[in-house]
């Protein structure tokens, strides 16, 4: 039995596929949602879920929550005299879900598909898998939450081609993903998001309105008062589902406060957060080169999308009502359960091929020459841009920057910052080069990224042929080193620079031959067309090359027809 798990910022769920449909497994309290909260009592006993949430109201210092935002970091959460990382706290939540599933089935449950935000980087995905292993699971796959949601909505069962956007706003993270389904392929076109934006932030807005209206200094509240206020604000926020106003009730000392807050006032106060939501949406559409009008469907995911102001915002932004037919709290867990059934090859589940993209840019650090002639180190050179469909390979030539330099170090980075130091270091490759004047020795650097999140970096010295490589493996792949080598070998053709691929080389040879044959305006036209094609080849983007190759061939055909 393989289960699907939505490891959420605010709540977590576990589900399985019963042969016909996904089913949410209730926890020991009979509830579908398990709060992602961990607490330790005076005796050192660890509690997870609703009990931990209750302990928080009495003793917030012994409680941890919203730790999903810190996955992949070294941040420690102090509960009494014990320290936990986000990875360890997540493993405790996962262990609780595992215990609930085993009590439900009366048998061991050891295999799981776990969802993560699409915008999680390599390190965050690795720590999520590690948390699953610490909880006693064999993690069969790490699946992106938007992809899981799309599967739950049955997008993969649609006969017609469908282009859709998944708007996923959970308790602590926001993702937007653009996916396209055709035949039996589910292709992720682009992803973007914000790991520090979620329903918790919308709750905080309500808190701030309450404090301001009642002239209460936030710094005057102790940690227990803040915990109680957060709970009351969450209750008040959910009440907006019922009508146009809410009442936030809060007792501070001997005084009882009761504040009515209209939906219009709340929506106005949330404008900054709504503006932050727009940016990832715009970035996703731009990266995928798709217009709003080209999207067939918008799917809402995550408990925070229950808010009426968010649903109105999405409807206005996209000019249509979003699809909310599946419980937004449960949809990701359901999709993960269906994916688990696909892994088990259950006959009742239609197999779908999932393609993905690089959520972050992969590159290396280089030196650049400033206008004043001074060399500036530590700039970022993107090799594989974010939202590039994988598998993919890209090649660049780099050269020494100092006289008598004897080594070239290529650091492997992940991120979007212009400066290398602000990106995540994944590894490095060093090669020896003959000493000589700056710029005379160089290396060919090849980045190859596989669908299993395997990144191979090959560095070859141009003058000596000395070659070094590093393979950076995502922890959610179970492939052995031999299997990885075999897969990368199968991608050797990708490692060729586009200029060296036969279909492109043929056109360049043909263009050169026709240039030699022609004179005057015809020769100049051929030169311009060849320059344009070569510029596209140098950018090494396969879709762009395919379009330009077709145009260049049609141009050459027309020139020969004229002849």
């Amino acid at each position: 039995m393989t289960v699907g798990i939505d490891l959420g910022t605010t709540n977590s769920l576990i589900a399985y596929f019963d042969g016909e449909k996904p089913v949410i497994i209730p926890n020991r309290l009979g509830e579908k949602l398990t709060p992602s909260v961990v607490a330790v009592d005076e005796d050192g006993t660890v509690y997870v879920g609703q009990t931990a949430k209750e302990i928080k109201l009495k003793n917030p210092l012994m409680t941890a929550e919203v730790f999903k935002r810190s996955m992949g970091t070294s941040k420690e959460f102090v509960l009494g005299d014990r320290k936990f990382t986000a990875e360890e706290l997540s493993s405790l939540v996962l262990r609780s879900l595992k215990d609930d599933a085993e009590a439900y089935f009366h048998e061991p449950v050891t295999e799981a598909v776990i969802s993560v935000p699409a915008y999680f980087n390599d390190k965050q995905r690795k720590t999520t898998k590690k948390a699953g292993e610490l909880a006693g699971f064999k993690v069969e796959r790490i699946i992106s939450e938007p992809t899981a949601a799309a599967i739950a909505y049955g997008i993969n069962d649609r006969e017609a081609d469908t282009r859709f956007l998944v708007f996923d706003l959970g308790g602590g993270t926001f993702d937007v993903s653009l996916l396209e389904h055709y035949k039996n392929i589910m292709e992720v076109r682009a992803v973007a998001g914000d790991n520090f934006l979620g329903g918790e932030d919308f709750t905080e807005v309500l808190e701030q309105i309450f404090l301001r209206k009642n002239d209460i200094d936030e710094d005057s509240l102790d940690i227990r008062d803040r915990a109680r206020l957060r709970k009351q604000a969450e209750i008040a926020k959910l009440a907006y589902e019922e009508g146009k106003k809410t009442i936030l009730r809060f007792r501070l000392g001997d005084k009882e406060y009761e504040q009515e807050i209209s939906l219009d006032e709340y929506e106005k106060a949330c404008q900054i957060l709504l503006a932050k939501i727009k940016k990832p949406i715009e970035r996703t559409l731009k990266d995928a080169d798709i217009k709003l009008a080209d999207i067939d469907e918008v799917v809402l995911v995550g408990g925070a999308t229950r808010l009426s102001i968010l649903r109105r915002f999405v409807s206005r932004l996209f000019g249509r009502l979003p699809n909310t037919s599946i419980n937004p709290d449960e949809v990701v867990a359901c999709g993960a359960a269906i994916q688990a059934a696909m892994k088990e090859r259950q006959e009742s589940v239609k197999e779908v091929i999932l393609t993905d993209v690089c959520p972050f840019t992969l590159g290396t650090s280089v030196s650049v020459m400033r206008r004043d002639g001074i060399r500036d180190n530590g700039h970022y050179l993107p090799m594989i841009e974010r939202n590039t469909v994988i598998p993919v390979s890209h090649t660049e030539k780099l050269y020494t920057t100092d006289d008598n330099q004897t080594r070239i170090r290529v650091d492997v980075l992940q991120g979007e910052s212009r400066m290398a130091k602000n990106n995540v270091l994944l590894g490095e490759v060093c090669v020896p080069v003959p000493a000589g004047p700056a710029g005379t020795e160089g290396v060919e650097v090849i980045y190859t990224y596989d669908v299993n999140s395997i990144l191979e970096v090959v560095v070859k010295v141009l003058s000596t042929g000395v070659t070094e490589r590093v393979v950076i493996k995502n922890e959610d792949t179970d492939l052995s080193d031999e299997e990885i080598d075999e897969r990368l070998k199968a991608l050797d053709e990708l490692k060729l620079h586009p200029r060296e691929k036969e279909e492109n080389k043929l056109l360049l040879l043909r263009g050169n031959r026709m240039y030699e044959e022609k004179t005057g305006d015809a020769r100049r036209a051929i030169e311009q067309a060849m320059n344009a094609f070569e510029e596209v080849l140098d950018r090494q983007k396969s879709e762009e090359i395919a379009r330009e190759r077709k145009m260049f061939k049609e141009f050459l055909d027309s020139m020969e027809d004229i002849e």
Side-chain angles (χ1 to χ4, degrees):
M1 169 65 67
T2 305
V3 293
I5 295 175
D6 175 10
L7 181 62
T9 307
T10 306
N11 295 294
S12 295
L13 303 89
I14 185 167
Y16 75 104
F17 193 79
D18 69 358
E20 295 182 357
K21 63 184 183 303
V23 178
I24 304 294
I25 300 171
N27 61 23
R28 60 195 174 280
L29 300 176
E31 298 169 347
K32 292 182 177 181
L33 302 182
T34 296
S36 301
V37 184
V38 177
V40 178
D41 69 7
E42 293 82 357
D43 300 327
T45 305
V46 175
Y47 293 93
V48 173
Q50 195 61 45
T51 305
K53 203 170 179 181
E54 196 63 37
I55 290 173
K56 179 192 172 189
L57 297 177
K58 282 185 62 180
N59 199 344
L61 291 175
M62 302 293 280
T63 311
E65 58 184 350
V66 199
F67 39 81
K68 180 176 175 178
R69 286 179 167 178
S70 301
M71 289 293 277
T73 72
S74 57
K75 179 180 177 180
E76 290 186 323
F77 295 78
V78 181
L79 306 185
D81 59 356
R82 299 175 66 175
K83 294 180 180 179
F84 297 89
T85 62
E87 175 186 310
E88 291 167 337
L89 292 168
S90 296
S91 75
L92 293 171
V93 174
L94 290 167
R95 180 73 215 191
S96 177
L97 296 174
K98 185 175 188 290
D99 291 343
D100 291 333
E102 290 177 343
Y104 182 84
F105 290 115
H106 303 290
E107 63 180 62
V109 175
T110 57
E111 298 177 348
V113 172
I114 302 176
S115 67
V116 294
Y119 210 56
F120 258 25
N121 63 28
D122 184 71
K123 193 174 288 187
Q124 290 167 313
R125 290 168 187 260
K126 284 181 179 178
T127 51
T128 301
K129 186 183 185 227
K130 185 66 176 175
E133 292 170 345
L134 288 172
F137 283 114
K138 178 186 177 187
V139 182
E140 290 290 339
R141 178 164 183 158
I142 296 291
I143 185 173
S144 292
E145 290 168 2
T147 304
I151 292 171
Y153 267 99
I155 305 291
N156 52 302
D157 290 328
R158 310 277 176 89
E159 290 186 8
D161 293 351
T162 308
R163 190 176 285 164
F164 57 101
L165 183 139
V166 178
F167 181 103
D168 185 356
L169 187 68
T173 60
F174 172 56
D175 277 327
V176 57
S177 299
L178 194 59
L179 296 93
E180 190 166 1
H181 175 256
Y182 52 95
K183 297 181 181 177
N184 70 325
I185 298 172
M186 185 90 73
E187 179 179 317
V188 179
R189 292 291 303 276
V191 298
D194 189 333
N195 289 337
F196 293 89
L197 176 62
E200 295 285 338
D201 301 287
F202 285 85
T203 304
E204 187 176 344
V205 168
L206 211 51
E207 286 181 34
Q208 295 301 321
I209 294 174
F210 173 83
L211 292 171
R212 176 171 46 80
K213 279 181 168 288
N214 291 281
D215 199 25
I216 299 172
D217 182 5
E218 185 177 3
D219 294 334
S220 69
L221 302 179
D222 63 27
I223 192 166
R224 187 181 297 182
D225 290 331
R226 290 186 183 186
R228 289 191 301 106
L229 178 58
R230 174 56 61 98
K231 181 182 179 181
Q232 293 306 117
E234 182 67 28
I235 293 170
K237 184 182 75 174
L238 296 176
Y240 280 124
E241 294 177 26
E242 306 289 325
K244 296 285 187 181
K245 64 181 180 180
T246 191
I247 296 175
L248 200 164
R249 296 179 176 88
F250 179 61
R251 186 175 186 83
L252 183 60
D254 296 329
K255 188 172 182 180
E256 185 79 34
Y257 292 89
E258 190 173 289
Q259 183 65 55
E260 182 179 294
I261 304 170
S262 71
L263 185 61
D264 288 341
E265 182 181 8
Y266 179 53
E267 184 172 14
K268 186 177 180 181
C270 288
Q271 287 306 306
I272 293 176
L273 292 177
L274 295 174
K276 286 180 71 176
I277 284 174
K278 269 187 178 180
K279 290 181 180 178
I281 293 173
E282 291 168 350
R283 178 165 157 179
T284 303
L285 293 169
K286 185 177 180 181
D287 285 354
D289 194 21
I290 289 175
K291 298 176 182 177
L292 280 174
D294 297 330
I295 297 171
D296 298 306
E297 194 170 344
V298 178
V299 172
L300 294 192
V301 178
T305 60
R306 291 181 184 280
L307 268 174
S308 56
I309 63 168
L310 275 163
R311 295 196 174 186
R312 272 209 309 273
F313 169 77
V314 172
S315 298
R316 287 197 298 262
L317 184 63
F318 292 97
R320 74 195 72 185
L321 290 173
N323 190 336
T324 59
S325 58
I326 301 179
N327 186 324
D329 284 315
E330 300 176 6
V331 62
V332 170
C334 290
I338 297 171
Q339 175 62 27
M342 288 180 187
K343 293 284 288 184
E344 293 178 336
R345 298 193 179 279
Q346 292 190 26
E347 291 183 4
S348 57
V349 179
K350 180 181 177 182
E351 185 70 31
V352 60
I353 299 169
L354 303 176
T355 74
D356 215 335
V357 294
C358 294
F360 289 86
T361 298
L362 298 165
T364 188
S365 63
V366 293
S367 296
V368 298
M369 189 68 74
R370 296 190 334 206
R371 290 183 179 180
D372 57 9
I374 297 174
R375 187 167 289 281
D376 196 9
N377 296 326
H379 285 257
Y380 190 42
L381 172 67
M383 294 286 288
I384 297 175
E385 299 275 7
R386 69 171 187 270
N387 288 324
T388 300
V389 177
I390 53 179
V392 65
S393 189
H394 187 89
T395 304
E396 290 284 351
K397 288 184 173 66
L398 305 177
Y399 294 87
T400 53
T401 57
D402 299 312
D403 292 336
N404 298 315
Q405 187 174 329
T406 58
R407 297 186 71 78
I408 290 180
R409 181 177 70 89
V410 176
D411 48 5
V412 184
L413 303 170
Q414 179 185 57
E416 309 301 330
S417 175
R418 186 175 68 90
M419 303 309 295
K421 66 180 180 180
N422 297 327
N423 295 316
V424 178
L425 178 66
L426 301 180
E428 64 176 43
V429 184
C430 286
V431 291
V433 294
T440 57
E441 290 293 334
V443 292
E444 183 179 66
V445 181
I446 306 172
Y447 275 46
T448 304
Y449 197 64
D450 176 60
V451 291
N452 288 294
S453 299
I454 299 165
L455 173 63
E456 179 194 48
V457 178
V458 176
V459 181
K460 180 182 178 181
V461 181
L462 297 174
S463 62
T464 65
V466 171
T467 303
E468 295 288 345
R469 73 191 276 263
V470 64
V471 175
I472 298 167
K473 181 174 76 169
N474 194 326
E475 292 298 326
D476 44 313
T477 178
D478 294 322
L479 299 179
S480 66
D481 290 343
E482 291 75 19
E483 289 171 322
I484 288 173
D485 286 340
E486 188 176 328
R487 288 194 65 86
L488 290 171
K489 189 175 181 181
L491 297 178
D492 277 349
E493 184 183 349
L494 282 177
K495 299 175 190 176
L496 287 173
H497 191 286
R499 285 174 178 268
E500 302 304 317
K501 292 187 177 180
E502 185 174 357
E503 62 268 33
N504 299 327
K505 202 165 189 175
L506 174 62
L507 287 178
L508 290 173
L509 288 169
R510 184 182 174 195
N512 277 322
R513 186 255 305 165
M514 291 176 66
Y515 178 85
E516 292 173 3
E517 293 172 352
K518 303 288 185 181
T519 59
D521 290 342
R523 171 175 276 193
R524 283 188 287 275
I526 292 170
E527 181 183 23
Q528 288 176 359
M530 287 193 68
N531 288 341
F533 185 47
E534 287 175 330
E535 285 177 11
V536 171
L537 292 178
D538 286 339
R539 288 200 286 273
Q540 301 181 50
K541 294 185 177 180
S542 56
E543 289 185 2
E544 191 179 358
I545 289 171
R547 288 196 299 268
E548 189 68 27
R549 181 170 58 237
K550 182 182 178 184
M551 292 170 58
F552 185 44
K553 182 180 182 301
E554 289 173 352
F555 167 77
L556 294 179
D557 289 345
S558 68
M559 293 297 287
E560 289 201 316
D561 287 344
I562 291 171
E563 186 180 68

